[in-house]
Amino acid sequence: MADMADLNPIPDLLAGLYDGLAGDQSGEVATYIPQLSHADPSWFGIALATLDGHVYPAGAAERTFTIQSVSKPFVYALALAGCGLDAVIERIGVEPSGDAFNAIRLEPQTGRPPNPMVNAGAILTTSLVSWERIRAGLGAFAGRDLDIDLAVYDSERLTGDRNRAIAYLMRNAGSLTTDVDETLDVYFRQCAILVTARDLAVMAATLANAGVNPITGVAVVGPDVAADVLTVMATCGMYDFAGEWLLRVGLPAKSGVSGGIAAALPGQFGIGLFSPPLDARGNSVRAIAACEELSARFGLHLMRSPDSSVPSLADVVTARTVRSSAARTRTERDILTRSGGAITIRGILGDLGFATAERLVREIAEHLDGVSWIVLDLDRVGRLHPVAERLLDTLASRLADAGVTTVVTDRSSRGLLSYPDRQFVTRDEALTWCEDALLRRVTGTH
Ligand code: GLN
């Protein structure tokens, strides 16, 4: 029998992607940081990390390289976590600049940089976070301690006059308030942190996983910060290619001049790629092509990744036909057969997002004739999106006003809703409780 691992199609799929692009010789390795020019143009690695912590590698997924600008979204995440969104936006805009990564263009009056994904905004972002926090934070995103490449750091420090110019301009305009040399020293160190394609995949997967590293389980940042960072990656992550990238690939992503790209599909996976030859905008040629192909072949575009629109209602039954396991007398059984229509039971399946919850509340509201008790069996519901929780909660409170009792069943006792009249662990307990109530009403006992 074949090795079980061979049956999984994903490794072959990534290997196919790798093989198809490995021969592409186009693009140029960055040379403006002298040390980066030593990169071998044939290096090419891909890794995909799932949100339950499985990593699929292809090619040179374990080769280290300096993270460069791919550090920007992660340091931005740390700045947001430390200072809050409003305070950070006041200092650094979030408008795609349409400019190159090293553009020298600031907001005329304030000197505020356009966004945190180009150098100006990234340098200012770095000024909001300590080096210790950056190193530890990026390590937490990757799930391991990260080293720095001192040769690349030195090389950039000695030649980084353009970044120095940007920093002095911001300092002059009053937008950068820390010492230029100290801030750039941290920025150059941050860019020289060594990662692999595998690390980038895990880092991106952490953002896709609402800020929780899928391998270590550590909540590196909160879900709001993770969503904010993914948003800024989507609009500004690919420099002056950001718009076309979002159109063609549709994944929040960030690239860097050493040839790395980290991209994520929220709630689904993270992917890390590495290949040094760059196109004219400074984005890795093979990494871009791999993402384009992956997205097109599997329909992974953000705007196409739908909230499940299949009906999530598994079954609707009434107590007329379905009985609890409670022992009932002949008379009680007769009553339940006659009047059991007053109790409806709905087994709900899958994730509840806006679309699926809307169908559910509409369906319930339209079928209330003669109904006094509604059992909502949420046991097989996976993710309950906040909007679904709100809709169900509001419906339950309105039903209560209309004299209809809502009873929720959920084995994992998540305490999902605040308004239902009763919560039970099993459907049988819920049904028993409703039957008892119905029997009391019909027989006039209390
Ligand atoms: N350290 C590089 C720089 O500031 C990062 C730029 C990049 O990766 N696009 O020039």
Side-chain angles (χ1 to χ4, degrees), residues 32-33 68-69 72 101 119 156 163 187 191 239 255-257:
Y32 78 101
I33 299 173
Q68 299 299 337
S69 285
K72 290 168 183 172
F101 69 91
N119 287 11
E156 183 164 20
N163 283 327
Y187 173 75
C191 290
Y239 314 123
S255 65
V257 291

Side-chain angles (χ1 to χ4, degrees), residues 372-376 395-396 399-400 404-408 419-422:
S372 299
W373 293 271
I374 296 177
V375 177
L376 287 182
L395 178 70
L399 288 171
V404 179
T405 301
T406 307
V407 170
V408 170
Y419 287 115
D421 297 275
R422 286 286 185 288

Side-chain angles (χ1 to χ4, degrees), residues 202-354:
V202 175
M203 295 170 86
T206 301
L207 291 176
N209 195 35
V212 177
N213 183 308
I215 292 181
T216 62
V218 171
V220 184
V221 290
D224 292 344
V225 167
D228 291 345
V229 172
L230 287 168
T231 306
V232 178
M233 287 167 78
T235 53
C236 309
M238 301 297 283
Y239 314 123
D240 39 344
F241 187 56
E244 190 172 335
W245 167 271
L246 190 59
L247 185 64
R248 289 189 186 280
V249 179
L251 300 175
K254 186 72 198 80
S255 65
V257 291
S258 53
I261 291 187
L265 187 56
Q268 306 279 331
F269 65 83
I271 180 165
L273 306 101
F274 166 58
S275 171
L278 308 177
D279 63 19
R281 293 162 165 128
N283 294 322
S284 166
V285 175
R286 289 193 194 99
I288 287 207
C291 290
E292 280 185 359
E293 197 177 320
L294 197 69
S295 174
R297 266 176 60 191
F298 300 103
L300 300 176
H301 196 291
L302 195 60
M303 304 304 177
R304 289 194 202 177
S305 117
D307 183 2
S308 131
S309 51
V310 291
S312 58
L313 199 56
D315 50 35
V316 189
V317 289
T318 72
R320 203 192 291 273
T321 52
V322 171
R323 279 303 141 69
S324 75
S325 63
R328 301 291 182 203
T329 64
R330 173 86 202 244
T331 325
E332 288 172 336
R333 289 203 299 272
D334 286 346
I335 294 173
L336 290 172
T337 306
R338 232 179 312 115
S339 312
I343 304 172
T344 60
I345 306 129
R346 284 177 178 74
I348 299 149
L349 204 61
D351 293 343
L352 281 182
F354 173 78

